[in-house]
PDB file of all heavy atoms in Angstrom:
ATOM      1  N   PRO A 320      28.381 -16.863   2.125  1.00  0.00           N
ATOM      2  CA  PRO A 320      28.900 -16.652   3.471  1.00  0.00           C
ATOM      3  C   PRO A 320      28.412 -15.205   3.930  1.00  0.00           C
ATOM      4  O   PRO A 320      28.048 -14.382   3.105  1.00  0.00           O
ATOM      5  CB  PRO A 320      30.361 -16.762   3.318  1.00  0.00           C
ATOM      6  CG  PRO A 320      30.541 -16.320   1.914  1.00  0.00           C
ATOM      7  CD  PRO A 320      29.396 -16.846   1.134  1.00  0.00           C
ATOM      8  N   PHE A 321      28.635 -14.942   5.215  1.00  0.00           N
ATOM      9  CA  PHE A 321      28.371 -13.701   5.658  1.00  0.00           C
ATOM     10  C   PHE A 321      29.247 -12.624   5.238  1.00  0.00           C
ATOM     11  O   PHE A 321      28.951 -11.509   4.972  1.00  0.00           O
ATOM     12  CB  PHE A 321      28.447 -13.609   7.241  1.00  0.00           C
ATOM     13  CG  PHE A 321      27.273 -14.378   7.888  1.00  0.00           C
ATOM     14  CD1 PHE A 321      27.452 -14.959   9.255  1.00  0.00           C
ATOM     15  CD2 PHE A 321      26.104 -14.437   7.283  1.00  0.00           C
ATOM     16  CE1 PHE A 321      26.381 -15.589   9.734  1.00  0.00           C
ATOM     17  CE2 PHE A 321      25.043 -15.138   7.852  1.00  0.00           C
ATOM     18  CZ  PHE A 321      25.250 -15.710   9.092  1.00  0.00           C
ATOM     19  N   LEU A 322      30.607 -12.903   5.112  1.00  0.00           N
ATOM     20  CA  LEU A 322      31.634 -11.849   4.738  1.00  0.00           C
ATOM     21  C   LEU A 322      32.313 -11.953   3.435  1.00  0.00           C
ATOM     22  O   LEU A 322      33.149 -11.214   3.095  1.00  0.00           O
ATOM     23  CB  LEU A 322      32.684 -11.896   5.853  1.00  0.00           C
ATOM     24  CG  LEU A 322      32.065 -11.482   7.292  1.00  0.00           C
ATOM     25  CD1 LEU A 322      33.213 -11.531   8.334  1.00  0.00           C
ATOM     26  CD2 LEU A 322      31.324 -10.297   7.315  1.00  0.00           C
ATOM     27  N   ALA A 323      31.972 -13.091   2.658  1.00  0.00           N
ATOM     28  CA  ALA A 323      32.582 -13.202   1.304  1.00  0.00           C
ATOM     29  C   ALA A 323      31.606 -13.878   0.368  1.00  0.00           C
ATOM     30  O   ALA A 323      31.559 -15.140   0.262  1.00  0.00           O
ATOM     31  CB  ALA A 323      33.830 -14.067   1.470  1.00  0.00           C
ATOM     32  N   MET A 324      30.750 -13.042  -0.282  1.00  0.00           N
ATOM     33  CA  MET A 324      29.772 -13.621  -1.109  1.00  0.00           C
ATOM     34  C   MET A 324      29.967 -13.297  -2.620  1.00  0.00           C
ATOM     35  O   MET A 324      30.433 -12.147  -2.815  1.00  0.00           O
ATOM     36  CB  MET A 324      28.315 -13.019  -0.653  1.00  0.00           C
ATOM     37  CG  MET A 324      28.103 -13.373   0.795  1.00  0.00           C
ATOM     38  SD  MET A 324      26.563 -12.800   1.253  1.00  0.00           S
ATOM     39  CE  MET A 324      26.828 -12.851   3.101  1.00  0.00           C
ATOM     40  N   GLU A 325      29.612 -14.144  -3.432  1.00  0.00           N
ATOM     41  CA  GLU A 325      29.780 -13.904  -4.865  1.00  0.00           C
ATOM     42  C   GLU A 325      28.649 -12.993  -5.360  1.00  0.00           C
ATOM     43  O   GLU A 325      27.592 -12.917  -4.829  1.00  0.00           O
ATOM     44  CB  GLU A 325      29.805 -15.190  -5.703  1.00  0.00           C
ATOM     45  CG  GLU A 325      28.486 -15.913  -5.588  1.00  0.00           C
ATOM     46  CD  GLU A 325      28.510 -17.186  -6.496  1.00  0.00           C
ATOM     47  OE1 GLU A 325      29.274 -17.182  -7.459  1.00  0.00           O
ATOM     48  OE2 GLU A 325      27.731 -18.138  -6.186  1.00  0.00           O
ATOM     49  N   LYS A 326      28.918 -12.261  -6.387  1.00  0.00           N
ATOM     50  CA  LYS A 326      27.946 -11.377  -6.883  1.00  0.00           C
ATOM     51  C   LYS A 326      26.990 -12.065  -7.862  1.00  0.00           C
ATOM     52  O   LYS A 326      27.322 -12.368  -8.955  1.00  0.00           O
ATOM     53  CB  LYS A 326      28.651 -10.195  -7.604  1.00  0.00           C
ATOM     54  CG  LYS A 326      27.689  -9.140  -8.136  1.00  0.00           C
ATOM     55  CD  LYS A 326      28.409  -7.905  -8.795  1.00  0.00           C
ATOM     56  CE  LYS A 326      27.479  -6.820  -9.147  1.00  0.00           C
ATOM     57  NZ  LYS A 326      27.970  -5.658  -9.740  1.00  0.00           N
ATOM     58  N   GLU A 327      25.774 -12.279  -7.386  1.00  0.00           N
ATOM     59  CA  GLU A 327      24.776 -12.989  -8.125  1.00  0.00           C
ATOM     60  C   GLU A 327      23.604 -12.185  -8.513  1.00  0.00           C
ATOM     61  O   GLU A 327      22.924 -12.469  -9.487  1.00  0.00           O
ATOM     62  CB  GLU A 327      24.159 -14.196  -7.320  1.00  0.00           C
ATOM     63  CG  GLU A 327      25.211 -15.203  -7.040  1.00  0.00           C
ATOM     64  CD  GLU A 327      24.636 -16.377  -6.273  1.00  0.00           C
ATOM     65  OE1 GLU A 327      23.741 -16.201  -5.432  1.00  0.00           O
ATOM     66  OE2 GLU A 327      25.194 -17.514  -6.472  1.00  0.00           O
TER      67      GLU A 327
END
Side-chain angles (χ1 to χ4, degrees):
F321 285 155
L322 299 180
M324 305 180 196
E325 64 177 335
K326 185 174 183 181
E327 293 182 327

